[in-house]
Amino acid sequence: MKDMQNMQNMQNMQDMEHKRLVEMIEQHEGREGSLIQLLLDLQSEFNWISKDALREISERMRIPSSRIYRIASFYEAISLKPVGKHKISVCMGTACQVRGSQKILDRTEFKLKVGQGGTTRDMKFTLKRVNCLGCCAIGPVMVVDEDYHGRVTSNNVEGILSKYD
């Protein structure tokens, strides 16, 4: 009985997401050059863009799916696989590395039980290492969503992550 209820809830969620997807596509239909903005809007709304969503965009906007995929896969801000609600970036630039960013990355991986580039099972966090965030003066740096945390130590990691629970 509970399994049936869970399946029904998942179907309702999928139906609501599909309805929202169609609404968003309709907002951009017929507007020249709006594909990138649509993809960014979808990324913002759903945290990623599925193959089904790419197919729906292609059909409704009459744009070849290969073109949509090429654009979606080019931009770092667009993900074609599920990502967590919160995105964590640990800077691994030279200034941050000499100040201990590897320890921060290691501690974050340990705390979240996920490797860099991975997403936690609860879909709460996605962790990635980046080459440089341009914040060398306050390194090592960790960014969670749009929040920059400077002069991070491995002892600060748990406190930073707890702000996003």
Side-chain angles (χ1 to χ4, degrees), residues 2 30 33 54 89 93 119 143 153 162:
K2 206 172 207 177
L54 294 176
S89 298
T119 299
V143 178
T153 67
S162 70

Side-chain angles (χ1 to χ4, degrees), residues 127-140:
L127 174 64
K128 67 178 184 175
R129 61 183 287 152
V130 294
N131 291 332
C132 184
L133 289 167
C135 304
C136 303
I138 61 168

Side-chain angles (χ1 to χ4, degrees), residues 55-67:
R55 193 174 311 112
E56 188 84 24
I57 294 166
S58 177
E59 290 172 9
R60 289 183 175 270
M61 295 184 77
R62 294 181 182 90
I63 299 172
S65 57
S66 60
R67 179 173 167 220

